[in-house]
Amino acid sequence: MHHHHTLCTRTHQIGALLLVAATFFFTRLLDAPCSISTTAPQRKFLLLPESQEVSIKIYVYDVNEIDGLNQLLKGRDGKIAPEACLKGQWGSQVKIHKLLLESRYRTKKKEEADLFFVPSYVKCARMMGGLNDKEINNTFVKVISQMPYFRLSGGRNHIFVFPSGAGAHLFKSWATYINRSIILTPEGDRTDKRDTSAFNTWKDIIIPGNVEDGMTKTGSPMVQPLPLSKRKYLANYLGRAQGKAGRLQLIELSKQFPEKLECPDLKFSGDKDIEAIIACGRQVRCMWVYASDSESCSAMRGIMWELQRKVRQFHQSAETFWLHNGSFVNRNLVEFSKWKLPVPLP
């Protein structure tokens, strides 16, 4: 039996040193303590590197330029209004779309775009009866087939938002068509019934979940936080049980302990520590607000910075590329593997 050993070349040594240096730098950056001060300004905390200015250009597809795209926003009958989709988890689909249309990084020239944004409100449309699962899948395939720039890059420079727990699995054929695209989602730990994840840390981005604007805007928000001394609940749960064991247990506990929703032997301790944690949270809460990317601190500012990090020249190659399902496709979306000849995708 012959054993093949990979030679350690000068290039490998340099690459290893760079990897160690980068790992050390980012570890120190992430481990840096949050400077706690209950009187500190909300935006004193450094959230994004000031030395790296965002310079990307994003093209936003118009709902009328591609047949079927309007249905992904308003349903099969075009009766779902964007305002109806602003609440709930899927509200970020509408907000990101709207803010990108107003963004200083938006370009109306496809030939100069670094990235392409594909708007859709399919989670909202599905929940409101505007589209069913089969219609969502077929419409996405129809829309993608009309995008020359998608086919040119294999989808690597296209952005999709899937803001619910289902993630990209809401598009049943995601693994065939958009598994090289950039996916924005608030939940990266979800899998389908086959235990397949649609999230890849190499290309996808975790985004803040949607919060009603009235709770996040400066001035007089609809909810004023209580001082810690006046809070009696250790934890709370808001949501549907959906037959899930953990949620059912929480509901049962709330019936047993309606005043606190806490275990009898679990008490508040370290008040100073809790207040410090809350103060640190207040310094970074602006990152959860869907405001303009021109703001010094906002969810969109963070998303744009992350998108710039995803733009790589080698991503723009029109040749074959690795897919989640282990197969390959060429620029015509024809799938093949090393074991068989190319065959058209269904």
Side-chain angles (χ1 to χ4, degrees):
M1 181 180 294
H2 297 283
H3 297 277
H4 298 280
H5 299 280
T6 302
L7 295 177
C8 183
T9 65
R10 187 70 174 174
T11 302
H12 289 115
Q13 293 174 347
I14 295 174
L17 288 174
L18 289 174
L19 179 61
V20 171
T23 303
F24 175 78
F25 172 77
F26 285 111
T27 301
R28 291 293 299 273
L29 181 65
L30 293 174
D31 287 343
C34 174
S35 57
I36 302 300
S37 171
T38 55
T39 60
Q42 178 179 338
R43 299 186 181 182
K44 181 179 179 181
F45 184 71
L46 181 61
L47 297 165
L48 299 173
E50 294 180 345
S51 60
Q52 183 176 355
E53 181 60 32
V54 177
S55 60
I56 59 175
K57 295 182 179 180
I58 300 179
Y59 180 85
V60 182
Y61 285 102
D62 185 88
V63 296
N64 296 315
E65 73 175 287
I66 298 176
D67 185 22
L69 192 55
N70 193 55
Q71 284 81 351
L72 291 180
L73 279 76
K74 301 181 180 180
R76 72 179 76 87
D77 300 322
K79 296 181 178 180
I80 298 177
E83 294 74 20
C85 298
L86 279 172
K87 295 184 178 181
Q89 287 192 81
W90 50 82
S92 55
Q93 280 189 320
V94 183
K95 292 180 179 179
I96 292 175
H97 181 204
K98 179 178 181 294
L99 289 168
L100 280 176
L101 290 174
E102 303 168 352
S103 174
R104 54 179 169 166
Y105 303 113
R106 180 192 177 194
T107 178
K108 296 185 179 181
K109 298 179 180 179
K110 293 180 182 177
E111 62 272 14
E112 68 177 20
D114 298 301
L115 298 169
F116 297 78
F117 180 78
V118 184
S120 71
Y121 309 157
V122 290
K123 178 62 178 180
C124 176
R126 181 178 180 273
M127 294 297 290
M128 298 184 70
L131 291 172
N132 58 40
D133 290 346
K134 184 176 181 180
E135 289 171 328
I136 290 174
N137 195 78
N138 292 342
T139 307
F140 260 124
V141 173
K142 177 182 178 180
V143 166
I144 290 171
S145 67
Q146 301 174 68
M147 295 177 170
Y149 282 87
F150 184 96
R151 299 174 73 89
L152 182 64
S153 69
R156 286 187 291 276
N157 55 7
H158 280 57
I159 308 166
F160 296 84
V161 181
F162 292 98
S164 72
H169 297 287
L170 198 63
F171 173 22
K172 299 299 182 182
S173 297
W174 71 266
T176 298
Y177 294 96
I178 65 169
N179 62 4
R180 292 175 291 176
S181 301
I182 298 173
I183 294 173
L184 309 185
T185 179
E187 301 182 44
D189 61 341
R190 297 307 181 98
T191 60
D192 61 10
K193 294 180 180 179
R194 298 180 180 179
D195 202 31
T196 301
S197 174
F199 185 84
N200 187 315
T201 56
W202 182 67
K203 64 179 183 62
D204 301 325
I205 299 173
I206 292 293
I207 61 174
N210 181 45
V211 180
E212 289 191 42
D213 290 338
M215 297 179 67
T216 59
K217 288 183 176 178
T218 56
S220 300
M222 66 171 63
V223 176
Q224 294 288 350
L226 287 174
L228 184 62
S229 59
K230 295 185 179 181
R231 300 185 187 189
K232 66 178 182 178
Y233 294 109
L234 176 64
N236 65 2
Y237 167 72
L238 179 64
R240 295 173 295 167
Q242 294 182 315
K244 297 184 178 181
R247 300 183 183 187
L248 291 172
Q249 291 175 1
L250 283 173
I251 293 175
E252 185 60 32
L253 281 173
S254 70
K255 294 178 181 178
Q256 295 179 37
F257 310 101
E259 298 300 320
K260 295 185 177 180
L261 187 56
E262 63 178 347
C263 297
D265 58 347
L266 188 59
K267 305 295 181 183
F268 279 118
S269 63
D271 281 347
K272 292 184 179 179
D273 290 339
I274 295 175
E275 287 184 351
I277 293 172
I278 293 174
C280 188
R282 284 174 178 159
Q283 292 185 40
V284 298
R285 65 182 177 182
C286 50
M287 290 295 292
W288 274 257
V289 179
Y290 278 99
S292 169
D293 52 42
S294 61
E295 295 281 340
S296 60
C297 176
S298 69
M300 287 301 295
R301 177 75 172 173
I303 290 172
M304 300 302 286
W305 185 77
E306 286 290 340
L307 284 173
Q308 174 153 294
R309 295 179 62 215
K310 302 298 182 183
V311 176
R312 300 289 187 272
Q313 289 302 317
F314 64 83
H315 283 196
Q316 310 307 319
S317 169
E319 302 308 318
T320 60
F321 202 73
W322 173 81
L323 293 178
H324 278 269
N325 58 12
S327 65
F328 294 79
V329 296
N330 61 21
R331 69 182 69 188
N332 294 318
L333 300 183
V334 176
E335 182 180 9
F336 67 94
S337 73
K338 61 183 178 181
W339 307 115
K340 58 184 180 180
L341 295 174
V343 293
L345 288 174

